[in-house]
Amino acid sequence: MDITHTSKKSRGVFSLSEEGRVVGIMTYQCMDEECFIIDHTEVDDEYNGKGYGTALILYAIDYARENQKKIIPLCPFVKSYFKKHPQVLDVAYV
């Protein structure tokens, strides 16, 4: 499993690859220099239930912490993760 991050202007994507094939993505848009909105997470059906979506969330959380940014979890999957894991709320925009 390999996760990469690309961004252009005010949008970005975290891509998860398995054996050279992209099997999951998480997209975001920047609100400002301090905050970004995660608006979509998607993992190919054949990889559901294997923790790939969680891996993308954790990567985004690490990115936010390393860059002193906050996350607005618009994506239902990410919003649910934040509710279940209060230890990551330090990166939540409130």
Side-chain angles (χ1 to χ4, degrees):
M1 176 183 352
D2 182 43
I3 300 176
T4 58
H5 174 223
T6 55
S7 63
K8 292 181 182 178
K9 298 188 181 187
S10 65
R11 296 191 157 278
V13 63
F14 300 103
S15 301
L16 188 147
S17 299
E18 186 69 48
E19 298 178 10
R21 179 176 157 236
V22 175
V23 297
I25 61 164
M26 174 178 284
T27 60
Y28 69 88
Q29 54 186 314
C30 296
M31 249 185 83
D32 55 36
E33 300 243 346
E34 300 172 356
C35 184
F36 63 99
I37 302 166
I38 297 178
D39 52 17
H40 182 70
T41 305
E42 183 175 338
V43 175
D44 286 358
D45 289 343
E46 65 188 272
Y47 294 92
N48 281 343
K50 296 185 178 183
Y52 286 15
T54 299
L56 285 165
I57 292 171
L58 294 175
Y59 192 93
I61 289 168
D62 287 344
Y63 171 79
R65 286 179 176 150
E66 290 170 11
N67 293 281
Q68 294 81 44
K69 295 188 181 287
K70 297 289 186 180
I71 297 171
I72 297 174
L74 183 61
C75 166
F77 181 69
V78 178
K79 190 180 287 190
S80 173
Y81 186 89
F82 274 41
K83 284 182 182 178
K84 293 177 185 174
H85 300 89
Q87 69 272 21
V88 301
L89 294 179
D90 61 301
V91 296
Y93 182 82
V94 289

Coordinates of all heavy atoms in Angstrom, one line a residue:
M1 N 0.9 -1.2 0.0 CA 0.0 0.0 0.0 C 0.9 1.2 0.0 O 1.8 1.3 0.8 CB -0.9 0.0 1.2 CG -1.7 1.2 1.4 SD -2.8 1.3 2.9 CE -2.7 -0.2 3.7
D2 N 0.6 2.2 -0.9 CA 1.4 3.4 -1.0 C 0.4 4.6 -1.1 O -0.6 4.5 -1.9 CB 2.3 3.3 -2.2 CG 3.1 4.5 -2.4 OD1 3.7 5.0 -1.4 OD2 3.3 5.0 -3.5
I3 N 0.6 5.6 -0.3 CA -0.3 6.8 -0.4 C 0.6 8.0 -0.9 O 1.6 8.2 -0.4 CB -0.9 7.1 0.9 CG1 -1.8 5.9 1.4 CG2 -1.8 8.4 0.9 CD1 -2.4 6.1 2.8
T4 N 0.0 8.7 -1.9 CA 0.7 9.9 -2.4 C -0.3 11.1 -2.3 O -1.5 10.9 -2.2 CB 1.1 9.7 -3.9 OG1 -0.1 9.4 -4.6 CG2 2.1 8.6 -4.0
H5 N 0.3 12.3 -2.3 CA -0.5 13.5 -2.1 C -0.1 14.4 -3.3 O 1.0 14.7 -3.5 CB -0.2 14.2 -0.8 CG -0.8 15.5 -0.6 ND1 -0.1 16.6 -0.1 CD2 -2.0 16.0 -0.9 CE1 -0.9 17.6 -0.1 NE2 -2.1 17.3 -0.5
T6 N -1.1 14.9 -4.0 CA -0.9 15.9 -5.0 C -1.9 17.0 -4.8 O -3.0 16.8 -4.3 CB -1.2 15.3 -6.5 OG1 -2.5 14.7 -6.5 CG2 -0.2 14.2 -6.8
S7 N -1.5 18.2 -5.2 CA -2.3 19.4 -5.0 C -2.1 20.4 -6.1 O -1.0 20.5 -6.7 CB -2.1 20.1 -3.7 OG -0.8 20.6 -3.5
K8 N -3.1 21.1 -6.5 CA -3.1 22.1 -7.5 C -4.0 23.3 -7.0 O -5.2 23.0 -6.8 CB -3.6 21.6 -8.9 CG -2.7 20.6 -9.5 CD -3.2 20.2 -10.9 CE -2.3 19.1 -11.5 NZ -2.8 18.6 -12.7
K9 N -3.4 24.4 -6.9 CA -4.1 25.6 -6.4 C -4.9 25.3 -5.1 O -4.2 25.0 -4.1 CB -5.0 26.1 -7.5 CG -4.3 26.6 -8.7 CD -5.1 27.3 -9.7 CE -4.3 27.7 -10.9 NZ -5.0 28.5 -11.8
S10 N -6.2 25.3 -5.1 CA -6.9 25.1 -3.9 C -7.5 23.7 -3.7 O -8.4 23.5 -2.8 CB -8.0 26.2 -3.8 OG -9.0 26.0 -4.8
R11 N -7.1 22.8 -4.5 CA -7.6 21.4 -4.4 C -6.5 20.4 -4.3 O -5.4 20.7 -4.7 CB -8.5 21.1 -5.7 CG -9.7 22.0 -5.8 CD -10.6 21.4 -6.9 NE -11.9 21.9 -6.7 CZ -12.8 21.3 -5.9 NH1 -12.5 20.3 -5.2 NH2 -14.0 21.8 -5.8
G12 N -6.8 19.3 -3.7 CA -5.8 18.2 -3.6 C -6.5 16.9 -3.5 O -7.7 16.7 -3.3
V13 N -5.6 15.9 -3.6 CA -6.1 14.5 -3.5 C -5.0 13.6 -2.9 O -3.8 13.8 -3.1 CB -6.5 13.9 -4.9 CG1 -5.3 13.9 -5.8 CG2 -7.1 12.5 -4.8
F14 N -5.4 12.7 -2.0 CA -4.6 11.7 -1.4 C -5.0 10.4 -2.2 O -6.2 10.1 -2.2 CB -4.8 11.5 0.1 CG -4.6 12.8 0.9 CD1 -5.6 13.6 1.4 CD2 -3.3 13.2 1.2 CE1 -5.4 14.7 2.1 CE2 -3.0 14.3 1.9 CZ -4.1 15.1 2.4
S15 N -4.0 9.8 -2.8 CA -4.3 8.6 -3.6 C -3.6 7.4 -3.0 O -2.4 7.4 -2.6 CB -3.8 8.7 -5.0 OG -4.4 9.9 -5.6
L16 N -4.4 6.3 -2.8 CA -3.8 5.1 -2.3 C -3.7 4.1 -3.4 O -4.7 3.8 -4.1 CB -4.8 4.5 -1.2 CG -4.3 3.3 -0.4 CD1 -4.8 3.4 1.0 CD2 -4.7 2.0 -1.0
S17 N -2.5 3.5 -3.5 CA -2.2 2.5 -4.6 C -1.9 1.2 -4.0 O -1.2 1.1 -3.0 CB -1.1 3.0 -5.5 OG -1.4 4.2 -6.1
E18 N -2.2 0.2 -4.7 CA -1.9 -1.2 -4.4 C -1.3 -1.8 -5.6 O -2.0 -1.9 -6.7 CB -3.1 -2.0 -3.9 CG -2.9 -3.3 -3.4 CD -2.1 -3.4 -2.0 OE1 -2.5 -2.6 -1.1 OE2 -1.1 -4.1 -2.0
E19 N -0.1 -2.3 -5.6 CA 0.6 -2.9 -6.7 C 0.5 -2.0 -8.0 O 0.2 -2.5 -9.1 CB 0.0 -4.3 -7.0 CG 0.2 -5.3 -5.8 CD -0.5 -6.6 -6.1 OE1 -0.9 -6.9 -7.2 OE2 -0.5 -7.4 -5.1
G20 N 0.7 -0.7 -7.8 CA 0.8 0.2 -8.9 C -0.5 0.7 -9.4 O -0.6 1.5 -10.3
R21 N -1.6 0.3 -8.8 CA -3.0 0.6 -9.2 C -3.7 1.5 -8.2 O -3.7 1.1 -7.0 CB -3.8 -0.6 -9.5 CG -5.2 -0.4 -9.9 CD -5.9 -1.7 -10.3 NE -7.3 -1.5 -10.2 CZ -8.1 -2.2 -9.4 NH1 -7.7 -3.1 -8.7 NH2 -9.4 -1.9 -9.4
V22 N -4.2 2.6 -8.5 CA -4.9 3.5 -7.6 C -6.2 2.8 -7.2 O -7.0 2.5 -8.1 CB -5.2 4.9 -8.2 CG1 -6.0 5.7 -7.2 CG2 -3.9 5.6 -8.4
V23 N -6.4 2.5 -5.9 CA -7.6 1.8 -5.5 C -8.4 2.7 -4.5 O -9.5 2.2 -4.1 CB -7.3 0.4 -4.9 CG1 -6.6 -0.5 -5.9 CG2 -6.4 0.6 -3.7
G24 N -7.9 3.8 -4.1 CA -8.7 4.7 -3.2 C -8.2 6.1 -3.3 O -7.0 6.4 -3.6
I25 N -9.1 7.0 -3.1 CA -8.8 8.5 -3.2 C -9.6 9.2 -2.1 O -10.6 8.8 -1.6 CB -9.2 9.1 -4.5 CG1 -10.7 9.0 -4.8 CG2 -8.3 8.6 -5.7 CD1 -11.1 9.9 -6.0
M26 N -9.0 10.3 -1.7 CA -9.6 11.2 -0.8 C -9.4 12.6 -1.3 O -8.2 13.0 -1.5 CB -9.1 11.1 0.6 CG -9.6 12.1 1.6 SD -8.9 11.9 3.3 CE -9.9 10.4 3.8
T27 N -10.4 13.4 -1.6 CA -10.3 14.7 -2.2 C -10.6 15.8 -1.2 O -11.3 15.6 -0.2 CB -11.2 14.9 -3.4 OG1 -12.5 14.7 -3.0 CG2 -10.8 13.9 -4.5
Y28 N -9.9 16.9 -1.4 CA -10.1 18.0 -0.5 C -10.0 19.3 -1.2 O -9.5 19.4 -2.3 CB -9.2 18.0 0.7 CG -7.7 18.3 0.3 CD1 -7.3 19.6 0.3 CD2 -6.8 17.3 0.1 CE1 -5.9 19.9 0.0 CE2 -5.5 17.6 -0.3 CZ -5.1 18.9 -0.3 OH -3.8 19.2 -0.6
Q29 N -10.5 20.4 -0.6 CA -10.4 21.7 -1.1 C -10.0 22.6 0.0 O -10.4 22.4 1.2 CB -11.7 22.2 -1.8 CG -12.9 22.2 -1.0 CD -14.1 22.5 -1.7 OE1 -14.1 23.5 -2.4 NE2 -15.2 21.7 -1.6
C30 N -9.1 23.6 -0.3 CA -8.6 24.5 0.8 C -9.6 25.6 1.0 O -10.1 26.2 0.1 CB -7.3 25.1 0.3 SG -6.0 23.9 0.2
M31 N -9.9 25.9 2.3 CA -10.7 27.0 2.6 C -9.8 28.2 2.7 O -10.2 29.3 2.3 CB -11.4 26.8 4.0 CG -12.8 26.5 3.9 SD -13.6 26.4 5.5 CE -13.8 28.1 6.0
D32 N -8.7 28.1 3.4 CA -7.7 29.2 3.5 C -6.4 28.5 3.8 O -6.3 27.3 3.7 CB -8.1 30.2 4.6 CG -8.4 29.5 5.9 OD1 -7.7 28.5 6.3 OD2 -9.3 30.0 6.6
E33 N -5.4 29.2 4.3 CA -4.1 28.7 4.5 C -4.1 27.7 5.7 O -3.1 26.9 5.9 CB -3.1 29.8 4.7 CG -3.0 30.7 3.5 CD -1.6 30.7 2.9 OE1 -0.7 30.2 3.6 OE2 -1.5 31.2 1.8
E34 N -5.1 27.8 6.6 CA -5.1 27.1 7.8 C -6.1 25.9 7.9 O -6.1 25.1 8.8 CB -5.4 28.0 9.0 CG -4.3 29.1 9.1 CD -4.8 30.1 10.1 OE1 -5.9 30.0 10.7 OE2 -4.0 31.0 10.4
C35 N -6.9 25.8 6.8 CA -8.0 24.8 6.9 C -8.3 24.2 5.6 O -8.3 24.9 4.5 CB -9.2 25.5 7.5 SG -10.6 24.5 7.8
F36 N -8.6 22.9 5.5 CA -9.1 22.3 4.3 C -10.3 21.4 4.6 O -10.5 20.9 5.7 CB -8.0 21.5 3.6 CG -7.4 20.4 4.3 CD1 -7.8 19.1 4.0 CD2 -6.3 20.5 5.2 CE1 -7.2 18.0 4.6 CE2 -5.7 19.5 5.8 CZ -6.2 18.2 5.5
I37 N -11.1 21.2 3.6 CA -12.4 20.5 3.6 C -12.2 19.1 2.9 O -11.9 19.1 1.7 CB -13.5 21.2 3.0 CG1 -13.7 22.6 3.6 CG2 -14.8 20.4 3.0 CD1 -14.6 23.5 2.8
I38 N -12.3 18.0 3.6 CA -12.3 16.7 3.0 C -13.7 16.5 2.5 O -14.6 16.4 3.3 CB -11.8 15.6 3.9 CG1 -10.4 15.9 4.3 CG2 -12.0 14.2 3.2 CD1 -9.8 14.8 5.3
D39 N -13.9 16.4 1.2 CA -15.2 16.3 0.6 C -15.6 15.0 0.1 O -16.8 14.7 -0.2 CB -15.5 17.4 -0.4 CG -14.4 17.5 -1.5 OD1 -13.6 16.5 -1.6 OD2 -14.3 18.5 -2.2
H40 N -14.6 14.1 -0.1 CA -15.0 12.8 -0.7 C -13.9 11.8 -0.4 O -12.7 12.1 -0.5 CB -15.1 13.0 -2.2 CG -15.5 11.7 -3.0 ND1 -16.7 11.2 -2.9 CD2 -14.8 10.9 -3.8 CE1 -16.8 10.1 -3.6 NE2 -15.6 9.9 -4.2
T41 N -14.3 10.6 -0.1 CA -13.4 9.4 0.1 C -14.1 8.3 -0.7 O -15.3 8.0 -0.6 CB -13.3 9.0 1.6 OG1 -12.8 10.2 2.3 CG2 -12.3 7.9 1.7
E42 N -13.2 7.6 -1.4 CA -13.7 6.5 -2.2 C -12.7 5.4 -2.3 O -11.5 5.7 -2.6 CB -14.1 6.9 -3.6 CG -14.7 5.9 -4.5 CD -15.1 6.5 -5.9 OE1 -15.3 7.7 -6.0 OE2 -15.2 5.7 -6.8
V43 N -13.1 4.1 -2.1 CA -12.2 3.0 -2.2 C -12.9 2.0 -3.2 O -14.1 1.8 -3.0 CB -11.9 2.3 -0.9 CG1 -11.1 1.0 -1.0 CG2 -11.2 3.3 0.1
D44 N -12.2 1.4 -4.1 CA -12.7 0.4 -5.0 C -13.4 -0.7 -4.2 O -12.9 -1.1 -3.1 CB -11.6 -0.2 -5.9 CG -11.1 0.7 -7.0 OD1 -11.7 1.8 -7.1 OD2 -10.2 0.3 -7.7
D45 N -14.6 -1.2 -4.7 CA -15.4 -2.2 -4.0 C -14.6 -3.4 -3.5 O -14.8 -3.9 -2.4 CB -16.5 -2.6 -4.9 CG -17.6 -1.5 -5.1 OD1 -17.6 -0.6 -4.2 OD2 -18.4 -1.6 -6.0
E46 N -13.7 -3.9 -4.4 CA -12.9 -5.1 -4.0 C -12.0 -4.9 -2.8 O -11.5 -5.8 -2.3 CB -12.2 -5.6 -5.2 CG -11.1 -4.7 -5.7 CD -10.5 -5.2 -7.0 OE1 -9.6 -6.0 -7.0 OE2 -11.0 -4.8 -8.1
Y47 N -11.8 -3.6 -2.4 CA -10.9 -3.3 -1.3 C -11.6 -2.8 -0.1 O -11.0 -2.5 0.9 CB -9.8 -2.3 -1.8 CG -8.9 -2.8 -2.8 CD1 -9.1 -2.7 -4.1 CD2 -7.7 -3.6 -2.4 CE1 -8.3 -3.2 -5.1 CE2 -6.9 -4.1 -3.3 CZ -7.1 -3.9 -4.7 OH -6.3 -4.4 -5.6
N48 N -12.9 -2.8 -0.2 CA -13.7 -2.3 1.0 C -13.5 -3.3 2.2 O -13.3 -4.5 2.0 CB -15.2 -2.3 0.6 CG -15.6 -1.1 -0.1 OD1 -14.9 -0.1 -0.2 ND2 -16.8 -1.1 -0.8
G49 N -13.5 -2.7 3.4 CA -13.4 -3.5 4.6 C -11.9 -3.9 4.9 O -11.7 -4.7 5.8
K50 N -11.0 -3.4 4.2 CA -9.6 -3.7 4.4 C -8.8 -2.6 5.1 O -7.6 -2.7 5.2 CB -8.9 -4.1 3.1 CG -9.5 -5.4 2.5 CD -8.8 -5.8 1.3 CE -9.4 -7.1 0.7 NZ -8.7 -7.6 -0.4
G51 N -9.5 -1.6 5.5 CA -8.8 -0.5 6.2 C -8.2 0.6 5.3 O -7.5 1.5 5.8
Y52 N -8.5 0.5 4.0 CA -7.9 1.5 3.1 C -8.4 2.9 3.3 O -7.7 3.9 3.2 CB -8.0 1.0 1.7 CG -7.1 -0.1 1.3 CD1 -6.5 -0.9 2.2 CD2 -6.9 -0.4 0.0 CE1 -5.7 -1.9 1.9 CE2 -6.1 -1.5 -0.4 CZ -5.5 -2.2 0.6 OH -4.6 -3.3 0.2
G53 N -9.7 3.0 3.5 CA -10.3 4.3 3.8 C -9.7 4.9 5.1 O -9.4 6.1 5.1
T54 N -9.6 4.1 6.1 CA -8.9 4.6 7.3 C -7.5 5.0 7.1 O -7.1 6.0 7.7 CB -9.0 3.5 8.4 OG1 -10.4 3.2 8.7 CG2 -8.4 3.9 9.7
A55 N -6.8 4.3 6.3 CA -5.4 4.6 6.0 C -5.3 6.0 5.3 O -4.5 6.8 5.6 CB -4.8 3.6 5.1
L56 N -6.3 6.3 4.5 CA -6.4 7.6 3.8 C -6.7 8.7 4.9 O -6.0 9.8 4.9 CB -7.4 7.6 2.7 CG -7.0 6.9 1.4 CD1 -8.3 6.7 0.6 CD2 -6.0 7.7 0.7
I57 N -7.6 8.4 5.8 CA -7.9 9.4 6.8 C -6.7 9.7 7.7 O -6.4 10.8 8.0 CB -9.1 8.9 7.7 CG1 -10.4 8.9 6.9 CG2 -9.2 9.8 8.9 CD1 -11.5 8.2 7.6
L58 N -6.0 8.6 8.1 CA -4.8 8.8 9.0 C -3.7 9.6 8.3 O -3.1 10.4 8.9 CB -4.3 7.5 9.5 CG -5.3 6.7 10.4 CD1 -4.8 5.3 10.7 CD2 -5.6 7.5 11.6
Y59 N -3.6 9.4 7.0 CA -2.6 10.1 6.2 C -3.0 11.6 6.2 O -2.1 12.5 6.4 CB -2.5 9.5 4.8 CG -1.3 10.0 4.0 CD1 -0.1 9.3 4.0 CD2 -1.4 11.2 3.3 CE1 1.0 9.8 3.2 CE2 -0.3 11.7 2.5 CZ 0.8 11.0 2.5 OH 1.9 11.4 1.8
A60 N -4.2 11.9 5.9 CA -4.7 13.3 5.9 C -4.5 13.9 7.3 O -4.1 15.1 7.4 CB -6.2 13.3 5.5
I61 N -4.8 13.2 8.4 CA -4.6 13.7 9.7 C -3.1 14.0 10.0 O -2.8 15.1 10.5 CB -5.2 12.7 10.8 CG1 -6.7 12.7 10.7 CG2 -4.7 13.1 12.2 CD1 -7.4 11.6 11.4
D62 N -2.2 13.1 9.6 CA -0.8 13.4 9.7 C -0.4 14.6 8.9 O 0.4 15.4 9.4 CB 0.0 12.2 9.3 CG 0.0 11.0 10.3 OD1 -0.5 11.2 11.4 OD2 0.3 9.9 9.9
Y63 N -0.9 14.7 7.7 CA -0.6 15.9 6.9 C -1.1 17.2 7.6 O -0.3 18.2 7.6 CB -1.3 15.7 5.5 CG -1.2 17.0 4.7 CD1 -0.1 17.3 4.0 CD2 -2.3 17.8 4.6 CE1 0.0 18.5 3.2 CE2 -2.3 19.0 3.8 CZ -1.1 19.3 3.2 OH -1.1 20.5 2.4
A64 N -2.3 17.1 8.1 CA -2.8 18.3 8.8 C -1.9 18.7 10.0 O -1.6 19.9 10.2 CB -4.2 18.1 9.3
R65 N -1.5 17.7 10.8 CA -0.7 18.0 12.0 C 0.7 18.5 11.6 O 1.2 19.5 12.2 CB -0.5 16.7 12.8 CG -1.8 16.3 13.6 CD -1.6 15.1 14.3 NE -2.8 14.8 15.2 CZ -3.2 13.6 15.5 NH1 -2.6 12.5 15.1 NH2 -4.3 13.4 16.2
E66 N 1.3 17.9 10.6 CA 2.6 18.3 10.2 C 2.6 19.7 9.6 O 3.6 20.4 9.6 CB 3.2 17.3 9.1 CG 3.5 16.0 9.7 CD 3.9 15.0 8.6 OE1 4.0 15.3 7.4 OE2 4.0 13.8 9.0
N67 N 1.5 20.2 9.0 CA 1.4 21.5 8.4 C 0.6 22.5 9.2 O 0.2 23.5 8.6 CB 0.8 21.3 7.0 CG 1.8 20.5 6.1 OD1 2.8 21.1 5.6 ND2 1.6 19.2 5.9
Q68 N 0.3 22.2 10.4 CA -0.5 23.0 11.3 C -1.8 23.5 10.6 O -2.2 24.7 10.6 CB 0.3 24.2 11.8 CG 1.5 23.9 12.7 CD 2.7 23.5 11.9 OE1 3.0 24.0 10.9 NE2 3.3 22.4 12.4
K69 N -2.5 22.5 10.1 CA -3.8 22.8 9.4 C -5.0 22.1 10.2 O -4.7 21.1 10.9 CB -3.8 22.3 8.0 CG -2.8 23.1 7.1 CD -2.9 22.7 5.7 CE -1.9 23.4 4.8 NZ -2.2 24.8 4.7
K70 N -6.2 22.6 9.9 CA -7.4 22.0 10.5 C -8.2 21.4 9.4 O -8.1 21.8 8.2 CB -8.2 23.0 11.2 CG -7.5 23.6 12.4 CD -7.4 22.7 13.5 CE -6.9 23.3 14.8 NZ -6.7 22.4 15.9
I71 N -9.0 20.3 9.7 CA -9.8 19.6 8.7 C -11.3 19.9 9.0 O -11.7 19.7 10.2 CB -9.5 18.1 8.8 CG1 -8.1 17.8 8.4 CG2 -10.5 17.3 7.9 CD1 -7.7 16.3 8.7
I72 N -12.0 20.2 8.0 CA -13.5 20.2 8.1 C -13.9 18.9 7.4 O -13.7 18.7 6.2 CB -14.1 21.4 7.3 CG1 -13.7 22.7 8.0 CG2 -15.6 21.3 7.3 CD1 -14.1 23.9 7.3
P73 N -14.5 17.9 8.2 CA -14.9 16.6 7.6 C -16.3 16.7 6.9 O -17.3 16.2 7.5 CB -14.8 15.7 8.8 CG -15.2 16.6 9.9 CD -14.7 18.0 9.6
L74 N -16.4 17.2 5.7 CA -17.6 17.2 5.0 C -18.0 15.8 4.5 O -19.2 15.4 4.5 CB -17.6 18.1 3.8 CG -18.8 18.3 3.0 CD1 -19.9 18.9 3.9 CD2 -18.5 19.3 1.8
C75 N -17.1 15.0 4.1 CA -17.3 13.6 3.7 C -17.9 12.8 4.9 O -17.4 12.8 6.0 CB -16.0 13.0 3.3 SG -16.0 11.2 3.1
P76 N -19.0 12.1 4.6 CA -19.7 11.3 5.7 C -18.7 10.3 6.3 O -18.8 10.1 7.6 CB -20.8 10.6 5.0 CG -21.1 11.5 3.8 CD -19.8 12.0 3.4
F77 N -17.9 9.6 5.6 CA -16.9 8.6 6.1 C -16.0 9.3 7.1 O -15.7 8.7 8.2 CB -16.2 7.9 4.9 CG -15.3 6.9 5.4 CD1 -15.7 5.7 5.9 CD2 -13.9 7.0 5.2 CE1 -14.8 4.7 6.3 CE2 -13.0 6.1 5.6 CZ -13.5 4.9 6.2
V78 N -15.4 10.4 6.7 CA -14.5 11.1 7.5 C -15.2 11.7 8.8 O -14.7 11.6 9.9 CB -13.7 12.2 6.8 CG1 -12.8 13.0 7.7 CG2 -13.0 11.6 5.6
K79 N -16.4 12.2 8.6 CA -17.1 12.8 9.7 C -17.4 11.7 10.7 O -17.3 11.9 11.9 CB -18.5 13.3 9.2 CG -19.2 14.1 10.2 CD -20.5 14.7 9.6 CE -20.2 15.8 8.6 NZ -21.4 16.5 8.2
S80 N -17.8 10.5 10.3 CA -18.0 9.3 11.2 C -16.8 8.9 11.9 O -16.8 8.6 13.1 CB -18.6 8.2 10.3 OG -18.7 7.0 11.1
Y81 N -15.6 8.9 11.2 CA -14.4 8.6 11.8 C -14.0 9.6 13.0 O -13.6 9.1 14.0 CB -13.2 8.6 10.8 CG -11.9 8.0 11.4 CD1 -11.6 6.7 11.4 CD2 -11.0 8.9 12.0 CE1 -10.5 6.2 11.9 CE2 -9.9 8.4 12.5 CZ -9.6 7.1 12.5 OH -8.4 6.6 13.1
F82 N -14.2 10.9 12.7 CA -13.9 11.9 13.7 C -14.8 11.7 14.9 O -14.4 11.8 16.1 CB -14.1 13.3 13.1 CG -12.9 13.8 12.4 CD1 -12.1 13.0 11.6 CD2 -12.5 15.1 12.6 CE1 -11.0 13.5 11.0 CE2 -11.4 15.6 11.9 CZ -10.7 14.8 11.1
K83 N -16.1 11.3 14.7 CA -17.0 11.1 15.9 C -16.6 9.9 16.7 O -16.7 9.9 17.9 CB -18.4 10.9 15.4 CG -19.1 12.2 14.9 CD -20.5 11.9 14.5 CE -21.1 13.2 14.0 NZ -22.5 13.1 13.5
K84 N -16.1 8.9 16.1 CA -15.7 7.6 16.8 C -14.3 7.7 17.4 O -14.0 6.8 18.2 CB -15.7 6.4 15.8 CG -17.1 6.1 15.3 CD -17.1 5.0 14.3 CE -18.4 4.7 13.7 NZ -18.4 3.7 12.6
H85 N -13.5 8.7 17.0 CA -12.1 8.7 17.4 C -11.8 10.1 18.0 O -11.1 10.9 17.3 CB -11.1 8.3 16.3 CG -11.4 6.9 15.8 ND1 -12.3 6.6 14.8 CD2 -10.9 5.8 16.2 CE1 -12.3 5.3 14.6 NE2 -11.4 4.8 15.5
P86 N -12.2 10.4 19.2 CA -12.0 11.8 19.7 C -10.5 12.2 19.8 O -10.2 13.4 19.9 CB -12.6 11.8 21.1 CG -12.8 10.3 21.4 CD -12.9 9.6 20.1
Q87 N -9.6 11.2 19.8 CA -8.2 11.5 19.9 C -7.6 12.3 18.6 O -6.5 12.8 18.7 CB -7.3 10.3 20.1 CG -7.3 9.3 18.9 CD -8.4 8.3 18.9 OE1 -9.5 8.5 19.5 NE2 -8.2 7.2 18.2
V88 N -8.4 12.4 17.6 CA -8.0 13.1 16.4 C -8.7 14.5 16.2 O -8.4 15.2 15.3 CB -8.2 12.3 15.1 CG1 -7.5 11.0 15.1 CG2 -9.7 12.1 14.8
L89 N -9.4 14.8 17.2 CA -10.2 16.1 17.2 C -9.3 17.3 17.3 O -9.7 18.4 17.0 CB -11.3 16.1 18.2 CG -12.4 15.1 18.0 CD1 -13.4 15.2 19.1 CD2 -13.0 15.3 16.6
D90 N -8.0 17.1 17.6 CA -7.1 18.2 17.6 C -6.9 18.9 16.2 O -6.5 20.0 16.1 CB -5.7 17.8 18.1 CG -5.0 16.8 17.3 OD1 -5.6 15.7 17.1 OD2 -3.9 17.0 16.8
V91 N -7.2 18.1 15.2 CA -7.1 18.6 13.8 C -8.5 19.0 13.2 O -8.6 19.5 12.1 CB -6.4 17.6 12.8 CG1 -5.0 17.4 13.2 CG2 -7.2 16.4 12.7
A92 N -9.5 18.9 14.0 CA -10.9 19.2 13.6 C -11.1 20.7 13.7 O -10.7 21.4 14.6 CB -11.9 18.5 14.4
Y93 N -11.7 21.3 12.6 CA -12.0 22.7 12.6 C -13.3 22.9 13.4 O -14.4 22.3 13.0 CB -12.2 23.2 11.2 CG -12.5 24.7 11.1 CD1 -11.5 25.6 11.2 CD2 -13.8 25.1 10.9 CE1 -11.8 27.0 11.1 CE2 -14.1 26.5 10.8 CZ -13.1 27.4 10.9 OH -13.3 28.7 10.8
V94 N -13.3 23.6 14.5 CA -14.5 23.9 15.2 C -14.8 25.3 15.4 O -14.0 26.2 15.2 CB -14.4 23.2 16.7 CG1 -14.5 21.7 16.5 CG2 -13.2 23.7 17.4

